[in-house]
């Protein structure tokens, strides 16, 4: 009986040795966690075989010389198997050959549009209008096709302690004969193993301000960026600097972020020439607090607050001191309804952001804010947006967005076209210029790598031409692409 048991054990060892040899060849393509589980199973089997051999060796021989050699042969088999397992474990501790190959994604975002008229700002002095440079107003009136962006996302681990990523963008500009000009939107290094739940990011990145300012155009839930963000932030929250974030050890989600950089968004120089360094107070300091709470299994909400401050930007062209301040504060929220009984393919998102600009800097044109007469002004302005999107199914998502903002340097009085007297006539709207945009839209996702979106904008500018805009957006992603938590939008 013992001989049969031993023979079965030897056959099992031989089979296990062949299986482990084939397994070792497939290690490079296996998942690490699965590999660990299989290594644990092999180690358990080895311990079982060792016990069997020890039991056989402890018993007296029951046959002649041929059977005495059986335990020795079994030991040799186990020794060779142990060597193979050790080699497999050593290989599992090494990075795979593809570990240092970065994940690369190319996002192509194309837009066909129709615009009823140009939205030129009307100063009310009979001189007509001028282009305000925001929200596609640099595109001509009428029908148009536009390569909005071709973005190359590159990310990889540098070592066990840091990772890095870059975003290269090529956008067609109507002012540049519609040629796509390549720019570096982001190029940053991020730590991954700091203690105390700390993360540091440095380089060029989109600062963590609000909810949409740090997202790229192809990742927006609608075609265009909300006009209030274009007016108050200057589009995306790009900066060159360093950012530190801390995930608080609380029973609920609480994240705090602080950053310092040379700008926020479109304020390219804060009044300082590009070839000059800024004073310490001429840098932009940013902070954000964000929390997340599950109301119940079907409902959750996010709330955040952001601030950006440039205490003392310097511009020699601004009389009398050349000093001015920029300050922008914001509050944002996002509510989600995810009914568990209907799966992850049907949900509702309601989100928005309120902004208050009470500084002196012009976030779009740089330098100090001035009114139509060229006089420096400091006048707070409100703005913001809200949108709701319902996910009917995996493919279809209708939504609606409303946007509102005030001009930060609204000239309450303008030149009278009849008398030519400065500041003698109220502006064309008769009150502070209010800018409103209504935007219904419909998104269709044939797959997670492709999206088509139809959107209509009714843009009413208090002191500018009203306009109707129609957009058809077609976006695709090539290569590695992960929605992450944004897929819950």
């Amino acid at each position: 009986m013992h001989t049969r048991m031993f023979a079965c054990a030897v056959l099992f060892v031989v089979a296990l040795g062949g299986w482990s040899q084939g397994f070792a060849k497939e290690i490079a393509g296996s998942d690490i966690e699965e590999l660990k589980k299989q290594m644990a199973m092999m180690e358990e089997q080895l311990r079982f075989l060792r016990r069997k051999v020890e039991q056989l060796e402890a018993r007296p021989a029951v046959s002649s010389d041929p059977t005495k050699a059986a335990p020795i042969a079994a030991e040799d088999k186990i020794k060779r198997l142990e060597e193979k397992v050790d080699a497999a474990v050593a290989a599992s501790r090494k990075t795979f050959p593809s570990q240092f190959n970065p994940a690369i994604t190319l996002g192509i975002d194309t837009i066909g549009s129709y615009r009823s008229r140009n939205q030129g700002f009307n100063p009310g002095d009979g001189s007509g209008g001028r282009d305000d440079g925001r929200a596609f107003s640099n595109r001509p009136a009428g029908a148009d096709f536009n390569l909005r962006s071709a973005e190359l996302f590159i990310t990889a681990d540098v070592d066990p302690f840091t990772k890095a990523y870059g975003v290269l963008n090529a956008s067609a500009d109507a002012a540049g004969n519609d040629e796509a000009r390549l720019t570096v939107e982001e190029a940053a290094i991020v730590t991954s193993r700091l203690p105390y739940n700390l993360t540091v990011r440095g380089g060029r990145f989109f600062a963590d301000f609000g909810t949409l300012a740090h997202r790229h155009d192809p990742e927006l839930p609608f075609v265009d960026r909300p006009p209030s963000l274009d007016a108050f932030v200057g589009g995306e929250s790009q900066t060159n600097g360093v950012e530190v974030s801390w995930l608080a050890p609380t029973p609920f989600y609480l994240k705090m972020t602080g950053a310092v950089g040379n700008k926020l968004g479109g304020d390219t120089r804060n009044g300082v020439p590009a070839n000059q360094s800024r004073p310490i107070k001429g840098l932009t300091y940013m902070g954000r607090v964000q929390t997340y709470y599950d109301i119940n299994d079907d409902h959750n909400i996010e709330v955040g607050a952001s601030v950006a401050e440039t205490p003392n930007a310097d511009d020699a062209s601004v009389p009398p001191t050349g000093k001015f301040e920029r300050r922008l504060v914001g509050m944002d929220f996002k509510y989600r309804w995810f009914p568990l009984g209907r799966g992850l393919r049907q949900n509702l998102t309601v989100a928005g952001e309120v902004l208050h600009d009470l500084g002196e800097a012009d976030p779009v044109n740089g330098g100090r804010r001035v009114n139509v007469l060229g006089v420096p002004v400091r006048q707070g302005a409100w703005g913001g947006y809200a949108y709701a999107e319902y996910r009917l199914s995996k493919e279809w998502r209708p939504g609606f967005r409303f946007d509102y903002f005030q001009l930060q340097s609204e000239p309450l009085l303008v030149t009278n076209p009849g008398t030519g007297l400065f500041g003698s006539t109220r502006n064309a709207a008769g009150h502070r210029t209010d800018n409103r945009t209504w935007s219904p839209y419909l998104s269709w996702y044939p797959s997670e790598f492709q999206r088509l979106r139809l959107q209509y904008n009714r843009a009413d500018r208090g002191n500018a031409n009203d306009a109707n805009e129609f957009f058809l957006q077609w976006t695709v992603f090539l290569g590695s692409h992960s929605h992450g938590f944004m897929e819950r939008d």
Side-chain angles (χ1 to χ4, degrees):
M1 179 176 181
H2 296 305
T3 303
R4 291 180 180 178
M5 290 179 59
F6 181 76
C8 292
V10 171
L11 291 175
F12 180 78
V13 169
V14 173
L16 183 61
W19 175 81
S20 64
Q21 183 177 7
F23 171 73
K25 293 180 181 178
E26 298 178 358
I27 286 177
S30 302
D31 184 80
I32 294 179
E33 294 299 327
E34 185 66 23
L35 181 61
K36 290 180 180 178
K37 293 180 182 178
Q38 294 178 358
M39 291 296 102
M41 293 174 57
M42 293 174 66
E43 290 175 357
E44 182 65 28
Q45 292 166 354
L46 278 173
R47 285 193 293 269
F48 173 79
L49 291 176
R50 287 195 187 98
R51 288 195 298 268
K52 288 297 182 182
V53 171
E54 291 172 357
Q55 292 174 2
L56 291 173
E57 289 179 341
R59 297 177 181 178
V62 294
S63 60
S64 58
D65 292 339
T67 57
K68 293 181 180 179
I72 300 176
E75 288 183 1
D76 292 340
K77 290 286 187 181
I78 292 176
K79 184 177 181 180
R80 289 195 294 270
L81 181 58
E82 287 178 340
E83 292 175 353
K84 294 176 182 179
V85 172
D86 290 340
V89 172
S92 68
R93 292 172 181 167
K94 299 178 181 179
T95 54
F96 299 142
S98 62
Q99 183 77 16
F100 297 102
N101 292 337
I104 299 176
T105 303
L106 176 62
I108 302 175
D109 192 19
T110 62
I111 294 177
S113 63
Y114 172 79
R115 188 179 216 172
S116 61
R117 62 170 70 177
N118 286 327
Q119 279 192 288
F121 176 74
N122 180 10
D125 59 1
S127 62
R130 62 177 175 82
D131 196 328
D132 64 3
R134 304 186 184 108
F136 287 95
S137 60
N138 60 336
R139 307 301 301 180
D144 186 30
F145 288 96
N146 176 29
L147 174 63
R148 207 252 294 266
S149 68
E151 291 192 335
L152 186 66
F153 300 81
I154 305 172
T155 181
D157 291 331
V158 177
D159 51 37
F161 309 100
T162 56
K163 61 182 179 181
Y165 69 93
V167 181
L168 305 179
N169 176 274
S171 299
D173 187 358
N177 198 26
D178 227 21
E179 290 296 328
R181 295 181 293 183
L182 186 65
T183 60
V184 178
E185 286 202 338
E186 291 193 84
I189 304 171
V190 185
T191 62
S192 56
R193 299 189 66 179
L194 288 182
Y196 307 111
N197 297 331
L198 290 171
T199 301
V200 178
R201 178 169 57 162
R204 172 173 290 185
F205 53 88
F206 286 0
D208 191 12
F209 186 96
T211 57
L212 294 183
H214 55 81
R215 290 173 63 168
H216 293 264
D217 288 338
E219 299 171 340
L220 293 173
F222 12 79
V223 174
D224 58 335
R225 199 167 295 274
S228 58
L229 286 183
D230 281 326
F232 284 51
V233 180
E236 299 156 332
S237 59
Q238 186 191 77
T239 191
N240 301 319
V242 62
E243 179 183 82
V244 180
S245 61
W246 176 54
L247 184 62
T250 55
F252 57 93
Y253 178 83
L254 179 62
K255 182 181 178 182
M256 301 181 184
T257 303
V260 57
N262 64 340
K263 61 174 182 172
L264 173 67
D267 189 2
T268 56
R269 296 190 304 276
N270 283 337
V272 180
N275 60 350
Q276 294 183 14
S277 299
R278 295 164 177 78
I280 295 298
K281 291 185 177 181
L283 297 173
T284 297
Y285 301 86
M286 293 158 279
R288 176 167 169 78
V289 178
Q290 181 183 4
T291 185
Y292 167 91
Y293 179 71
D294 282 315
I295 302 173
N296 54 37
D297 291 341
D298 295 342
H299 306 268
N300 59 74
I301 189 170
E302 287 183 38
V303 179
S306 306
V307 60
E309 168 81 12
T310 305
N312 200 358
D314 195 347
D315 186 356
S317 65
V318 178
T321 64
K323 311 292 184 181
F324 61 93
E325 179 186 19
R326 179 186 184 187
R327 183 182 302 164
L328 177 65
V329 296
M331 294 287 296
D332 57 86
F333 75 95
K334 182 177 291 185
Y335 161 78
R336 301 182 185 88
W337 170 64
F338 269 83
L340 295 180
R342 303 185 185 183
L344 294 178
R345 301 303 183 189
Q346 192 169 15
N347 56 73
L348 171 67
T349 299
V350 180
E353 189 170 359
V354 177
L355 301 168
H356 188 211
D357 186 340
L358 41 83
E360 300 167 305
D362 187 336
V364 176
N365 301 311
R368 190 169 185 174
R369 185 178 301 134
V370 296
N371 63 16
V372 71
L373 307 178
V375 179
V377 294
R378 178 187 178 94
Q379 184 169 295
W382 290 92
Y385 62 90
Y387 71 93
E389 181 177 287
Y390 189 78
R391 191 175 186 180
L392 292 172
S393 63
K394 181 180 178 180
E395 294 86 9
W396 295 98
R397 304 183 192 180
F400 182 84
R401 183 193 73 196
F402 173 73
D403 184 272
Y404 168 84
F405 72 94
Q406 301 169 334
L407 288 183
Q408 298 99 317
S409 56
E410 169 63 26
L412 293 179
L413 300 178
V414 296
T415 303
N416 187 305
T419 63
L421 296 178
F422 287 145
S424 62
T425 304
R426 296 183 64 83
N427 62 27
H431 54 78
R432 185 184 181 88
T433 295
D434 296 327
N435 305 272
R436 298 178 178 87
T437 304
W438 293 267
S439 306
Y441 61 93
L442 176 64
S443 301
W444 177 47
Y445 290 77
S447 71
E448 64 175 316
F449 298 97
Q450 182 177 191
R451 179 189 66 217
L452 286 93
R453 179 175 288 143
L454 181 65
Q455 178 173 320
Y456 164 71
N457 284 356
R458 170 60 185 180
D460 294 339
R461 302 290 176 90
N463 215 13
N465 296 323
D466 297 339
N468 297 307
E469 299 173 297
F470 298 88
F471 300 106
L472 177 60
Q473 180 188 30
W474 191 4
T475 306
V476 298
F477 292 94
L478 308 178
S480 174
H481 176 61
S482 175
H483 293 284
F485 192 71
M486 288 189 299
E487 177 64 16
R488 293 170 59 89
D489 288 353

